[in-house]
Amino acid sequence: MSSPADFQNEIYLNGLGDVLPGLPTDLTRLERLARKRLSPGAHGYVAGSAGGGATARANRAAFDRWRIVPRMLRDVAVRDVAVEVLGASLPAPVLLGPVGVLSIVHPGGEPAVARAASALSVPMVLSSAASHTIEEVAEASGDGPRWFQLYWPKDPEIAASFLGRAKAAGYTALVVTLDTSILGWRPRDLDQAFLPFLRGIGVANYFSDPAFLKGIGGSLDADRAAAIMHWAANFGNPALTWDDLGFLREHWDGPIVLKGIQHADDARQAADAGMDGVIVSNHGGRQVDGAVASLDVLPDVVAAVGEQITVLFDSGIRSGSDMVKALALGARAVLIARPYVYGLGLAGEAGVQHVLRCLMAEFELTLALSGVVRPGDLTPDILRRADA
Ligand SMILES: Cc1cc2nc3c(=O)[nH]c(=O)nc-3n(C[C@H](O)[C@H](O)[C@H](O)COP(=O)(O)O)c2cc1C
């Protein structure tokens, strides 16, 4: 039976025919390559973070402070890295996290990502802020697993309409992002005065939505600038509180996951409110500068709610070894974001597949070399603090 780690042999065997991987297999190298090839606006938008970038750096530094302690002679010949997450079967504990406006890095945009994800049976979480519609991406995804991410708009009719469309288009789980009710201070974008949405990119779901269009007189034709202003007025809703979560349940009957959780008490509130999961995430450091590293709060959240609801993780995953660390600290699965966006920008659909295959192969190999054969068997015991 094939397993993700077979990608390693495939690469070496291809080498016998002088065929080399089209992109680096160390995914940390993708950003620098992308800087050369993407437009400055697109590169700044993807690579940039809030403020001086302290949170993004902290996310990476937190991984470096944990070290894996390899174990020997434990019969790791047969591995099974597949996991179940909220009703979805994953070939390895990774999903493609929600990333908006993907057409700024590649014309294939979200449909290209959906095809890559579907080919590998990896769930894609489609952003509300996508440059293609919910329905277009569903079509590209075909039989592939797909989740929908909601940026909860001010107008409840738009929110309800998005959820209805996602359900109808076969998205099985809902991810609600809580950390971006207001856009963070992002100097890379500010210095270039580049916000794709104001240029009409990343608004496809809004501009195709009956409830949104109702708010601007029924169609886009009249005044595009007014439509963009209507988007800006609706995009985020900083007035939301925990009491509002009932709305989601009324309009979504599948699993609901809250994204952006960084405190055990918030995770407890999510569980108390009947949510099915949380994503421990600080949006890759794009929202609050000088914030705590996402990995550093993961153990607290797992201790608080790990027995009750599904705990997922993102912010800083760059390798299979990072995945091992996040899972050892209690995450059920991780979401990857920037690396696959660079993969898309550099090589389209094939670039996204490359990133996923590298990540899953390295995960399986690192797991086995740590003496473990199943993701669910990872525990904090395989880790040690670098400074301890
Ligand atoms: C260019 C870009 C766009 C993003 N758009 C969204 C989005 O639309 N919705 C969302 O929930 N998160 C969004 N995120 C955050 C990611 O889902 C994820 O939390 C973050 O990128 C993780 O950090 P990392 O990529 O550094 O690992 C975006 C991230 C980037 C880099």
Side-chain angles (χ1 to χ4, degrees), residues 36-347:
K36 289 190 202 143
R37 302 225 206 127
L38 298 183
S39 69
H43 184 265
Y45 187 73
V46 179
S49 302
T55 307
R57 286 192 298 278
N59 283 340
R60 293 295 306 139
F63 277 96
D64 217 29
R65 283 196 304 275
W66 285 110
R67 299 292 163 88
I68 297 166
V69 185
R71 301 298 304 272
M72 305 301 134
L73 294 176
R74 291 186 163 210
D75 185 0
V76 292
V78 179
R79 284 98 50 180
D80 180 5
V81 295
V83 291
E84 284 273 323
V85 179
L86 296 170
S89 303
L90 281 55
V94 61
L95 301 92
L96 291 179
V99 171
V101 294
L102 286 174
S103 63
I104 62 171
V105 302
H106 191 278
E110 295 81 6
V113 174
R115 282 191 296 275
S118 179
L120 297 171
S121 303
V122 171
M124 169 191 188
V125 187
L126 176 68
S127 166
S128 285
S131 38
H132 291 77
T133 65
I134 291 169
E135 294 79 12
E136 286 165 345
V137 178
E139 197 183 328
S141 155
D143 293 337
R146 48 187 179 270
W147 295 10
F148 179 68
Q149 176 264 326
L150 182 72
Y151 275 136
W152 195 332
K154 274 206 192 71
D155 181 344
E157 281 192 40
I158 302 177
S161 178
F162 275 15
L163 299 188
R165 289 171 62 189
K167 197 81 202 164
Y171 295 77
T172 57
L174 176 66
V175 170
V176 182
T177 300
L178 302 179
D179 58 21
T180 314
S181 60
I182 303 169
L183 205 61
W185 182 254
R186 297 181 185 168
R188 294 279 292 274
D189 299 335
L190 291 162
D191 290 349
Q192 302 187 74
F194 182 71
L195 187 63
F197 312 104
L198 299 189
R199 297 162 192 234
I201 312 168
V203 292
N205 285 323
Y206 302 84
F207 283 14
S208 58
D209 192 82
F212 179 90
L213 292 173
K214 204 169 90 187
I216 50 166
S219 99
L220 278 182
D221 306 336
D223 185 351
R224 212 173 156 83
I228 287 173
M229 286 306 122
H230 189 54
W231 171 85
N234 260 294
F235 171 73
N237 185 356
L240 289 168
T241 72
W242 291 97
D243 294 335
D244 294 308
L245 292 179
F247 173 91
L248 300 173
R249 249 316 150 227
E250 277 167 39
H251 294 275
W252 187 266
D253 55 10
I256 305 177
V257 182
L258 300 184
K259 177 170 184 274
I261 299 298
Q262 293 281 278
H263 194 292
D265 288 349
D266 285 353
R268 277 189 205 99
Q269 298 226 59
D272 291 347
M275 299 291 106
D276 301 279
V278 291
I279 303 177
V280 175
S281 165
N282 58 28
H283 217 100
R286 297 163 70 78
Q287 285 296 91
V288 177
D289 194 20
V292 64
S294 196
L295 192 72
D296 283 342
V297 297
L298 176 61
D300 294 355
V301 172
V302 169
V305 300
E307 301 276 301
Q308 287 166 270
I309 60 175
T310 300
V311 178
L312 305 175
F313 174 87
D314 82 24
S315 296
I317 297 283
R318 299 291 178 270
S319 69
S321 128
D322 293 340
M323 284 177 65
V324 165
K325 292 177 185 178
L327 266 72
L329 293 175
R332 176 92 182 138
V334 303
L335 291 83
I336 181 140
R338 283 186 176 102
Y340 88 76
V341 180
Y342 298 133
L344 176 71
L346 292 166

Side-chain angles (χ1 to χ4, degrees), residues 369-380:
L369 291 168
S370 310
V372 178
V373 292
R374 272 176 302 271
D377 293 343
L378 282 167
T379 66

